[in-house]
Amino acid sequence: MIEQLRRDCIRHLSPDGTLTETGKEIWNRLDRDRKKNFFQWMTLVRHFDRRMILLQRQGRIGTYAPLEGQEAAQVGSALALQRKDWIFPSYREHGVAMIAGMPLSQILLYWMGRVEGCKAPEGVRIFPPSVPIATQIPHAVGAAWGFKLKKEDGVAVAYFGDGATSEGDFHEACNFAGVFQVPVILFCQNNGYAISVPFSRQSASKTVAEKAKSYDFPGIRVDGNDVLAVYDVMLQAIERARARKGPTLIEAVTYRKGPHTTADDATRYRPQAEVNEWVHQKDPLLRYTRLLKNEGLLTGKEEKEWEQTCKEKLDLAIIEAEKFPPAPPEHLFAHVYGNLPSNERKQRQELVQKRDRV
Amino acid sequence: MKEITMVQAICDGLRLALESDSRVLILGEDVGKNGGVFRATDGLWEKFGDERVIDTPLAESGIVGTSIGLTVNGFRPIAEVQFMGFIYPAVEQIVSHAARLRTRTQGAYPASLVVRIPYGGGIRAPELHCDSTESLFVHVPGLKVVTPSTPREAKGLLLAAVQDPDPVLFLEPMQLYRSIKEEVPEGWFEIPIGQARKVLDGEDITLISWGTMVPVAEKAAREWEKKGVFCDLIDLRSLSPLDEETIIASAKKTGRVVIVHEAPRTLGLGAELTALINEHAFLYLEAPVARVTGYDVPVPMFALEDDFRPDVQRVSESIRQVVSF
Ligand SMILES: Cc1ncc(C[n+]2csc(CCOP(=O)(O)OP(=O)(O)O)c2C)c(N)n1
């Protein structure tokens, strides 16, 4: 079913909340819980994001990378995965991390500058956010390769942005994926910009998806603000990978509504009309909420109740993160080596003595 | 003269370089329309256009590699790597090519380019944005490595770097971008690469530092001044080549040396300085040379960054130990 599509973008749910013919088929295959799940997660992710921006303004967390606008791309793709699969995110995949099983308080800790927030709970197969662009993509290929060598049916996913496709690591990873035919999904959220640089300046290719052609695996372009389309495309890519048919590159076309990070001023480089269009006409959550309401699966009251639940979950997570005991200075040495060498033990001692003098 | 910040001084230096030499190009991520993530290239794209102030694709190896190619075909690129923590994709180009081209072509095609790199901690930046890996590059013959600690120094050193025939890594201490204002001469002036700066003159103990740690060392020195201990504070400015004369003369004069750097201790530049002092001033020393440095751990996320980086207290304590040795 997955074909090499060039510039057309798969979409099953229009911005006005109506389904296409294929959309209806997909919709009818989904159970009620799943249908509600998309809404619940996207709402939680959005509330999380907005709250993080407030916390940043209040000085309670550091610089933060917002994702509003990219909820469908993250939720739709992550919900298609299973616990056995491996995830290698960048720094903007808070939604993916939550769905993978990363506690909200851990994600918060990370943005509070605490390395403890990098650690996933037992059994949650997600790497810490990868800050150097594109460097996580080869990891995903390696993890997928591991599944293949062990003859297991897990898949690995790398999440990255459009800017990442310019780095050598992206191309090396694609090449390995193609040569070794590993069960990897290269999931690009093309949000139009790498900080200030538009995709048209990033690449002479018109799309990210078509880059897959040179590595001889499918590249699919999907409307990243259509949660159903993202989910369906991701399911197909996963199925392909589990069936040992090799890698897939997915380009989810989306938009970050806000700045690159809380330290960025996006008005310097993005036309307001463009922002308005994405914010007001193409919003992923609004689109899906319309569908749910039209289908009689969500009432205004239920919507409000769920928003309240999200708020409570976030309140709790914030309390938990903020009361997480501060790490003592010597925590710097805590996990540098399996066994701390003696010269490092001396340095740690020096640090402890300094702390005790204060 | 106007009082300006370091980031403004750098921008001013870049503007002068673009104005005075049509071969000068600026290239990097977000340096054009956005004016740089720290605004170091603010207004330059508007003034000089898209062919001279160039937003590149997101690829450090590409930025430095193409800069090398540009140098041999008529241009003088000033490349920007957005943060020192992201220079690693470009290390191949810097180490295997920029540094060696002059030797390999026996002087025919030197890579005369500048790479500007914000570095160091102190601004609560996200993970991996705070590396201070200067000694990786100081270790590589063929490269020059400089770092300013004030606005005036920044402009003068930058203009010297642009004129320099060799590849120069210009490290910009992010923490000092906006923390100090200073009068900076308006026109073109250069601070020669290879010369250290005496920040304070003293007879009792030598303090050697650079970049972000200069203000920390200076505060510690001021504290000791009140107690009658006078520091000879040297801001290296040029990490490669080193101003050996100034360093050795000061060590001979005071007989006591404390080196302060942000980078981890092992094989930090402090190790080289200590060896240098031992080789040339051993018989003058009254105490072993001391180092106040980052610890030998990965640069931490910001919650522990103040514990990792040398502070006034640690420098002061080290001065006490060396003075009372
Ligand atoms: C190797 C590297 N170079 C530069 C940076 C600085 N930087 C952080 S995010 C970013 C843009 C990334 O754009 P994209 O890959 O499209 O992802 P997005 O941020 O849009 O999600 C840049 C240049 C970095 N983190 N790593």
Side-chain angles (χ1 to χ4, degrees), chain B:
Chain B
M1 267 191 291
K2 267 204 308 226
E3 283 211 335
I4 55 174
T5 61
M6 184 184 288
V7 81
Q8 288 168 328
I10 289 169
C11 190
D12 189 40
L14 293 172
R15 181 186 54 80
L16 277 176
L18 285 161
E19 261 167 15
S20 65
D21 184 346
S22 61
R23 297 171 308 159
V24 169
L25 304 177
I26 290 182
L27 54 166
E29 296 157 12
D30 307 286
V31 298
K33 194 167 186 183
N34 196 35
V37 292
F38 289 103
R39 304 289 174 255
T41 52
D42 200 11
L44 301 181
W45 179 78
E46 288 83 346
K47 186 158 189 248
F48 297 96
D50 209 39
E51 295 211 331
R52 297 196 66 202
V53 181
I54 306 163
D55 277 326
T56 65
L58 204 175
E60 292 72 14
S61 179
I63 292 169
V64 177
T66 56
S67 292
I68 293 171
L70 284 161
T71 63
V72 300
N73 206 7
F75 293 89
R76 292 195 68 101
I78 307 177
E80 177 182 299
V81 168
Q82 210 163 67
F83 290 85
M84 191 130 190
F86 309 135
I87 198 168
Y88 307 112
V91 167
E92 173 83 64
Q93 291 295 342
I94 294 172
V95 173
S96 306
H97 295 295
R100 287 174 217 237
L101 257 179
R102 181 183 290 281
T103 307
R104 292 180 57 231
T105 63
Q106 294 293 283
Y109 300 126
S112 311
L113 63 100
V114 178
V115 186
R116 295 179 37 248
I117 317 159
Y119 84 106
I123 60 163
R124 286 166 64 85
E127 195 188 7
L128 283 153
H129 283 68
C130 307
D131 277 20
S132 184
T133 44
E134 64 273 19
S135 60
L136 294 182
F137 300 102
V138 172
H139 189 67
V140 179
L143 296 178
K144 293 183 177 174
V145 183
V146 302
T147 179
S149 65
T150 77
R152 183 180 175 282
E153 301 283 306
K155 181 170 168 186
L157 272 177
L158 179 64
L159 293 177
V162 175
Q163 292 293 89
D164 201 274
D166 288 307
V168 182
L169 303 194
F170 186 82
L171 309 185
E172 302 175 1
M174 292 186 277
Q175 191 184 19
L176 307 183
Y177 265 155
R178 294 187 166 78
S179 64
I180 319 166
K181 276 197 167 184
E182 183 180 49
E183 287 193 347
V184 178
E186 262 156 41
W188 188 285
F189 70 97
E190 291 175 32
I191 291 175
I193 292 175
Q195 285 183 19
R197 172 174 74 109
K198 219 31 133 20
V199 181
L200 296 172
D201 262 309
E203 303 295 317
D204 302 320
I205 181 167
T206 300
L207 286 185
I208 305 176
S209 197
W210 54 91
T212 45
M213 285 295 128
V214 172
V216 176
E218 188 173 352
K219 271 205 193 101
R222 298 277 181 208
E223 279 184 5
W224 278 94
E225 207 172 81
K226 291 182 211 140
K227 300 178 208 161
V229 172
F230 294 92
C231 298
D232 217 33
L233 172 55
I234 298 171
D235 171 3
L236 285 183
R237 307 198 285 210
S238 173
L239 311 184
S240 176
L242 281 173
D243 181 352
E244 297 191 357
E245 240 169 77
T246 302
I247 297 162
I248 294 162
S250 177
K252 283 183 175 170
K253 178 175 76 171
T254 65
R256 299 172 197 274
V257 182
V258 172
I259 299 157
V260 187
H261 64 66
E262 183 170 347
R265 180 170 313 174
T266 299
L267 279 181
L269 192 53
E272 180 62 28
L273 293 167
T274 308
L276 182 74
I277 292 163
N278 279 343
E279 283 162 7
H280 299 277
F282 186 70
L283 296 176
Y284 296 79
L285 294 183
E286 307 279 348
V289 175
R291 288 181 281 167
V292 186
T293 68
Y295 297 102
D296 285 333
V297 302
V299 176
M301 290 178 65
F302 69 76
L304 289 184
E305 106 177 311
D306 294 343
D307 295 303
F308 169 80
R309 306 174 80 221
D311 56 13
V312 176
Q313 189 205 348
R314 274 173 70 197
V315 178
S316 196
E317 172 60 18
S318 183
I319 294 175
R320 190 189 63 72
Q321 283 173 11
V322 171
V323 166
S324 59
F325 183 81

Side-chain angles (χ1 to χ4, degrees), chain A residues 65-66 70 90-93 130-135 160-167 188-197 199 202 256 260-261, chain B residues 29-30 37 58-60 81-83 85-89 127-129:
Chain A
Q70 301 181 208
S90 85
Y91 45 80
R92 207 184 294 286
E93 274 78 62
S130 187
V131 173
I133 302 298
T135 51
F160 51 93
D162 42 299
T165 64
S166 293
E167 288 280 9
C188 177
Q189 289 170 81
N190 181 353
N191 63 10
Y193 291 84
I195 309 187
S196 69
V197 179
F199 186 66
Q202 202 61 249
R256 74 169 144 74
H260 170 72
T261 67
Chain B
E29 296 157 12
D30 307 286
V37 292
L58 204 175
E60 292 72 14
V81 168
Q82 210 163 67
F83 290 85
F86 309 135
I87 198 168
Y88 307 112
E127 195 188 7
L128 283 153
H129 283 68

